[in-house]
Amino acid sequence: NTDLLLGAFPRSTHKDVDAAARAAREAYPAWSRMSRIRRAEHLDTFVQLVKADFEALARLMAQECGKGINECRADVTEGIHMAQFCFGRARMPYGDVVASEIAEKDSYALRKPKGVIACVTPWNFPFAIPLWLIGPSLVEGNTVVFKPAEETPGVGQRIVEYLEKAGLPPGVLNLVQGLGEEAGWPLVTHPEVDAVLFTGSKEVGLKIKEWCGRDPRKMAVCEMGGKNAIIVLEDADLDLAVNA
């Protein structure tokens, strides 16, 4: 239905990105000092809210990005599973005792939060992929600035609304909308951002890695350019193959 209006969303600029990054930095000390288990409990509440809104969220996704409704339901389910995984991991050990050649020396490794994380995500899995990036970032004590794809702003906004209703403190998760050139790149290059998590094209991912490689403080994790071939043989069930 070309007449269907799903909503009106901001076209964020570098000024919005700057405000979001600074809000994330301001929220970071209190959030990172909070108990890891308490941080994760927000994700448990988030899951309950998503489950109550499951079908409406799947339908919004189908209308916004054009996937079939069954795949949209699977997308929501995968995001729920990721949030549940992050919640469960919070009560598991998150470090290692490292063997030492000197009896008097104790050596161990602990995971510590990095700081402000930029999460830039694509349109094709607009619920699951953001949860892959946002969920672990929050549980480990980082604060986040999230920029969803410009094609799926509604699902991106819904994620942030659920987490806000789940009691996430102000500034811990911040949303900017709009185009890569106007919001995404200013976010990647912002001096307050300590790490960039990106899923999208190879072209953009290479630019992000190149930029972050100039700064020894800034990290980047880029998932880019997946191309998955499907081979349908003569004896295949074509109805099943086409749907898959």
Side-chain angles (χ1 to χ4, degrees):
N1 182 356
T2 57
D3 296 326
L4 181 64
L5 178 64
L6 297 178
F9 302 93
R11 184 168 169 173
S12 300
T13 68
H14 66 93
K15 292 181 180 179
D16 302 305
V17 169
D18 184 62
R22 293 186 185 282
R25 178 62 67 196
E26 186 175 339
Y28 173 72
W31 179 250
S32 61
R33 287 194 302 265
M34 186 184 292
S35 156
R36 193 164 183 262
I37 292 172
R38 282 191 62 199
R39 291 195 299 258
E41 285 175 347
H42 293 289
L43 286 174
D44 183 48
T45 306
F46 166 85
V47 167
Q48 309 316 314
L49 293 168
V50 173
K51 284 184 174 181
D53 208 21
F54 184 95
E55 190 65 19
L57 180 58
R59 292 194 175 279
L60 170 63
M61 188 187 305
Q63 291 169 329
E64 193 168 51
C65 79
K67 294 201 295 187
I69 188 64
N70 285 339
E71 186 171 341
C72 291
R73 292 174 181 134
D75 195 324
V76 175
T77 298
E78 186 174 345
I80 288 172
H81 289 170
M82 186 64 203
Q84 289 172 326
F85 172 78
C86 294
F87 171 65
R89 286 288 296 174
R91 291 183 177 270
M92 299 293 288
Y94 61 106
D96 297 287
V97 176
V98 183
S100 171
E101 72 279 5
I102 301 172
E104 291 78 15
K105 182 174 74 174
D106 293 326
S107 183
Y108 56 90
L110 291 176
R111 289 210 301 274
K112 294 288 187 179
K114 178 72 173 171
V116 176
I117 311 297
C119 295
V120 182
T121 61
W123 62 270
N124 58 336
F125 290 91
F127 188 78
I129 290 180
L131 267 295
W132 299 354
L133 309 185
I134 294 170
S137 296
L138 293 180
V139 169
E140 297 302 338
N142 303 285
T143 54
V144 171
V145 181
F146 168 41
K147 196 205 88 69
E150 58 265 30
E151 296 90 349
T152 51
V155 175
Q157 180 172 307
R158 198 67 63 86
I159 291 170
V160 176
E161 289 173 348
Y162 291 137
L163 282 165
E164 185 179 32
K165 288 179 182 177
L168 214 61
V172 171
L173 175 61
N174 307 273
L175 177 68
V176 292
Q177 298 273 23
L179 304 177
E181 298 85 351
E182 298 173 356
W185 191 247
L187 176 59
V188 167
T189 58
H190 197 283
E192 293 288 358
V193 169
D194 298 300
V196 179
L197 308 182
F198 170 79
T199 299
S201 72
K202 180 180 178 182
E203 179 185 11
V204 174
L206 289 176
K207 287 183 178 180
I208 290 173
K209 291 201 295 181
E210 180 184 1
W211 176 270
C212 293
R214 300 174 183 174
D215 185 346
R217 179 189 57 85
K218 188 170 287 195
M219 297 171 56
V221 178
C222 300
E223 178 199 3
M224 358 173 231
K227 295 291 177 285
N228 309 97
I230 297 176
I231 300 173
V232 181
L233 302 179
E234 288 184 0
D235 63 346
D237 181 334
L238 289 181
D239 290 335
L240 179 62
V242 168
N243 283 328

